[in-house]
Amino acid sequence: MQAGLSPALFDAGISPEVLFEHAFSHAPIGMAVLAPDGRFLAVNATLCGALRISADQLLRWQIRELILSEASELEPVLTGAQERVRFEARCRRRDGQPMWAQIDLTFIQNADGGPQFFIMQLQDVTVRRVSNRAPHQTAARLESMLMYLNEAIVIEDELGRIVEANQLFCDTFHIPAPPAALIGMEWSESARDIKAQFEHADAFPERIAAIIAAREPVIAERLKTVDGRYLERDFLPVWVGSQCGGHIWIYRDVTDQIQARQALAAQAQALARANVTVNEQPDRDALTGLANRRALFDFLYSIIDRARRTRTPISLVLIDVDNFAAFNETYGTEIGDAVIQEIAAILRRTVRGSDFVARVGGEEFVVVLCGASDEQSLHVAERYRLAIAAAPWPHQSITASLGVASIGALSSVSDVDHTCRELLLAADRAVDRAKDKGRNRVVVEPPLHPIRRRHAAS
């Protein structure tokens, strides 16, 4: 069937050129006129809008610059071997975003039968192309995600039939079959198969039925198995509009965390009982039973005087727990106190018999090393740091920044109180430098020299 023009069109004074120009300019799809070599000669507003480019810029392009993907269908038309072609290709958009387009290209012959110019039509089909690939990509991504997640996961459809599960689900519940063998199984059947693994076996499927019926999220519900494991269970209904399209079950083995918390709680209770006696001692820290700040200064006064007489060096290690304020805000002061008590216990086990350990602040500890050189003090402080970092902390890793300050062999000290405070201030400066450098490290201050203080004449 060929297109035609009615004589009435000419009677109305409308020329074919005017008709073409109007249809071209106002077409709802992108249109262009191309030269035989593929250069753009005319473009309409719809095409410019689809490509996010101005007409002036597009008129400097060639059709091969527009098409990013290989389009073998293009060449037969441009060479005149084929009159018309339709194909889909990935195209270049001015803003850099990917775009798939359906392109119709038709050549118009000249008097010799060769291509005089080409008419191009372009429609954006990106949404259709992406939509067609989306289900396959989503399924592949979901399968990959389930494989690597450190949680046991099973996904059910709206009727409670399993549509996806990961290997960790089978491992958690000692299911010998692979996850693919569970596909299509109803929730009631799978619940019956694994209920014997829980302390309250009959209550397990009943609780699952109640959760599904309520269709409300359940987070971190605690379960205990007959072999002593603790599991946490999440239930997430999947809503599609107002309809429930399925459910996601997530199980996590939290046995190690629960047992660690129980051990810390028991230790805290034991230390709390011991603190009843410690609280009655004015030179003891009530929480840890270590020496307090007052006892530290008493010890420093005596040791500095003795070091002056024996001409032996003194080193002081200040230990500051990293990010402890944030830890307390996250887990609460009760857990924070248990951490402080555990660090005190670590220091008791790690210090030498001749050393003196004290708690001087909320998360600050001091160890006084008698007769230790700078190199020895650094080595000892590094041992404290590693012992704290290597402890099996149940909630998150705990580290400390340590500062070392020292006084060399003393011949005389004019003001013991001033020397004690200078030693603490030097260690404190070293701790600040350790935290500035990234925390969890030891920094050593240069050795101090006691300052002989002059007293004003009365």
Side-chain angles (χ1 to χ4, degrees):
M1 180 182 295
Q2 295 183 339
L5 299 176
S6 169
L9 184 69
F10 298 97
D11 295 340
I14 301 174
S15 68
E17 291 81 4
V18 171
L19 180 65
F20 174 80
E21 181 181 357
H22 182 82
F24 180 86
S25 300
H26 297 87
I29 63 173
M31 293 188 67
V33 178
L34 279 68
D37 61 1
R39 288 180 295 108
F40 286 95
L41 299 177
V43 296
N44 69 355
T46 305
L47 180 62
C48 294
L51 299 176
R52 306 294 194 272
I53 191 173
S54 69
D56 289 341
Q57 292 172 319
L58 187 53
L59 289 173
R60 293 196 289 269
W61 283 14
Q62 205 255 22
I63 189 171
R64 293 182 180 87
E65 297 177 81
L66 171 67
I67 299 173
L68 297 177
S69 57
E70 183 177 351
S72 57
E73 301 92 343
L74 183 64
E75 297 305 323
V77 179
L78 292 180
T79 58
Q82 189 172 331
E83 181 180 351
R84 186 173 186 273
V85 69
R86 168 179 288 180
F87 60 94
E88 291 186 1
R90 191 163 60 90
C91 294
R92 174 186 177 191
R93 242 174 55 168
R94 185 69 176 177
D95 60 4
Q97 294 298 314
M99 172 185 174
W100 280 90
Q102 176 181 289
I103 297 175
D104 289 88
L105 196 62
T106 305
F107 85 84
I108 307 300
Q109 294 180 336
N110 57 24
D112 299 328
Q116 181 177 2
F117 60 88
F118 301 93
I119 300 294
M120 185 190 81
Q121 294 179 317
L122 180 146
Q123 296 185 68
D124 188 341
V125 295
T126 305
V127 173
R128 173 172 59 77
R129 291 282 299 225
V130 173
S131 298
N132 289 344
R133 295 202 312 268
H136 305 288
Q137 292 177 338
T138 300
R141 289 169 182 163
L142 177 60
E143 184 176 354
S144 177
M145 178 187 70
L146 292 180
M147 182 186 304
Y148 291 105
L149 280 177
N150 194 29
E151 295 174 319
I153 298 178
V154 63
I155 303 175
E156 300 168 343
D157 63 16
E158 69 278 8
L159 300 177
R161 295 171 301 198
I162 295 176
V163 296
E164 195 65 73
N166 65 356
Q167 183 60 49
L168 190 55
F169 179 81
C170 296
D171 295 342
T172 299
F173 295 107
H174 309 302
I175 299 173
L182 306 181
I183 306 302
M185 182 183 294
E186 294 187 2
W187 71 263
S188 56
E189 182 182 355
S190 63
R192 284 195 304 270
D193 289 346
I194 64 177
K195 72 174 186 177
Q197 300 182 37
F198 293 92
E199 283 192 339
H200 305 288
D202 292 335
F204 181 76
E206 294 174 1
R207 175 59 180 157
I208 287 182
I211 291 174
I212 292 177
R215 288 179 176 171
E216 293 290 336
V218 175
I219 304 297
E221 185 175 64
R222 185 74 53 78
L223 302 168
K224 189 176 181 182
T225 64
V226 293
D227 59 2
R229 291 177 296 148
Y230 290 93
L231 303 179
E232 280 186 352
R233 174 172 62 195
D234 298 343
F235 170 80
L236 303 172
V238 179
W239 293 95
V240 182
S242 59
Q243 300 294 319
C244 183
H247 329 107
I248 301 175
W249 298 92
I250 303 173
Y251 291 86
R252 291 177 295 277
D253 190 329
V254 293
T255 306
D256 291 342
Q257 295 94 310
I258 297 299
Q259 291 177 345
R261 289 174 190 170
Q262 291 172 343
L264 267 180
Q267 183 183 49
Q269 291 175 356
L271 287 171
R273 289 192 295 269
N275 283 339
V276 173
T277 303
V278 172
N279 284 334
E280 299 173 356
Q281 303 177 26
D283 60 350
R284 296 282 111 183
D285 174 61
L287 180 63
T288 64
L290 296 176
N292 59 18
R293 193 179 189 88
R294 172 181 172 180
L296 171 66
F297 271 86
D298 288 343
F299 179 78
L300 283 174
Y301 289 152
S302 64
I303 202 67
I304 288 175
D305 182 61
R306 187 169 66 195
R308 178 186 58 79
R309 287 185 279 105
T310 59
R311 301 179 65 84
T312 55
I314 300 172
S315 293
L316 185 146
V317 181
L318 179 59
I319 303 161
D320 191 301
V321 182
D322 293 328
N323 300 312
F324 190 69
F327 182 93
N328 264 346
E329 290 179 5
T330 303
Y331 298 104
T333 55
E334 183 177 347
I335 299 297
D337 286 349
V339 168
I340 293 297
Q341 290 167 334
E342 178 60 23
I343 291 177
I346 291 171
L347 292 176
R348 283 194 187 94
R349 294 192 298 268
T350 311
V351 298
R352 304 175 304 176
S354 60
D355 298 335
F356 182 90
V357 59
R359 181 185 179 214
V360 295
E363 66 270 21
E364 291 183 331
F365 299 83
V366 164
V367 179
V368 181
L369 310 176
C370 304
S373 66
D374 291 345
E375 184 177 350
Q376 290 171 330
S377 300
L378 173 61
H379 178 75
V380 170
E382 186 67 18
R383 191 167 73 242
Y384 301 158
R385 183 189 69 81
L386 292 174
I388 293 171
W393 303 106
H395 299 86
Q396 67 178 54
S397 60
I398 300 293
T399 62
S401 298
L402 292 80
V404 180
S406 61
I407 302 176
L410 303 174
S411 58
S412 65
V413 176
S414 60
D415 191 330
V416 173
D417 181 74
H418 178 74
T419 303
C420 291
R421 296 185 187 281
E422 283 296 304
L423 197 58
L424 280 169
L425 286 173
D428 192 59
R429 288 194 299 271
V431 166
D432 289 341
R433 287 168 54 205
K435 290 187 180 293
D436 290 342
K437 291 182 178 181
R439 300 184 173 88
N440 189 25
R441 65 191 65 226
V442 178
V443 170
V444 180
E445 277 282 289
L448 295 176
H449 299 285
I451 300 174
R452 189 179 297 276
R453 304 178 73 189
R454 293 183 178 180
H455 298 276
S458 56

